[in-house]
Amino acid sequence: EYLKQVGARFDVIQHPYSVTARQTARVAHAPLEEFAKTVVLKIDGAYAIALVPVTRIVDLFEFAHLIGARSVTLADESEFATLFPDCEMGAEPPLGTLYQLPVYVDRAVAARDMITFNGGTHHEAVRMRYQDFAALVEPTEARFSTYRDSEGGWYPYAM
């Protein structure tokens, strides 16, 4: 409804129930590098959204360094109901303007022509041009994600 109200151009993808962002990308038939997952962070006690490709995670140390924060942690899911009262837990969209939260977008997401993300439920995804998303949300773009390797370790991506 919010995207309609602001006149954004987007498509809603109805899909079978899924829980994880990776599962959602698969059942929504979205390329993994195009599907962006919403990560809710606490930055020096304040909440924010970080948006990364589903294949990557937020490098919390790099993120803190980039923005000059003393503390960056993942928000606890128990806090999501208050932050996103109209969403199913775990399906939060990265629409910071709707929730009065700053949005940080990893450059791997910003480099895509199109992005797909959770639409607030476990059976809907939203697909839109990244430029339209950025015009609406006015995110801060930076490089702050890492890949997980087959051994369970982490390494920065090169871009």
Side-chain angles (χ1 to χ4, degrees):
E1 287 303 311
Y2 172 71
L3 292 174
K4 287 179 189 174
Q5 289 173 5
V6 297
R9 293 185 317 183
F10 65 98
D11 293 315
V12 174
I13 302 168
Q14 300 290 333
H15 60 77
Y17 182 88
S18 60
V19 176
T20 69
R22 188 177 287 265
Q23 288 172 342
T24 303
R26 288 190 179 121
V27 298
H29 305 291
L32 290 180
E33 284 296 324
E34 179 182 293
F35 198 93
K37 66 181 173 182
T38 301
V39 180
V40 183
L41 301 175
K42 276 181 113 168
I43 303 168
D44 294 334
Y47 296 102
I49 294 172
L51 196 60
V52 297
V54 71
T55 56
R56 303 176 187 190
I57 64 163
V58 175
D59 180 331
L60 297 175
F61 296 108
E62 179 65 17
F63 188 91
H65 175 73
L66 284 170
I67 65 168
R70 290 179 320 230
S71 171
V72 176
T73 60
L74 298 175
D76 189 274
E77 283 190 347
S78 65
E79 300 165 290
F80 290 8
T82 303
L83 295 171
F84 305 93
D86 58 340
C87 297
E88 294 176 10
M89 187 180 306
E92 297 79 16
L95 302 172
T97 47
L98 176 60
Y99 301 103
Q100 291 79 50
L101 296 172
V103 177
Y104 298 86
V105 174
D106 188 79
R107 288 212 174 113
V109 172
R112 303 294 298 192
D113 290 331
M114 301 295 290
I115 63 167
T116 304
F117 52 84
N118 280 323
T121 73
H122 290 288
H123 60 272
E124 291 179 328
V126 173
R127 185 169 193 259
M128 62 191 308
R129 292 176 38 85
Y130 178 77
Q131 289 179 341
D132 295 340
F133 171 82
L136 175 65
V137 176
E138 299 179 0
T140 300
E141 296 175 6
R143 184 183 305 176
F144 55 82
S145 72
T146 62
Y147 282 114
R148 180 186 307 213
D149 69 22
S150 61
E151 305 295 316
W154 312 102
Y155 60 95
Y157 72 91
M159 186 170 187

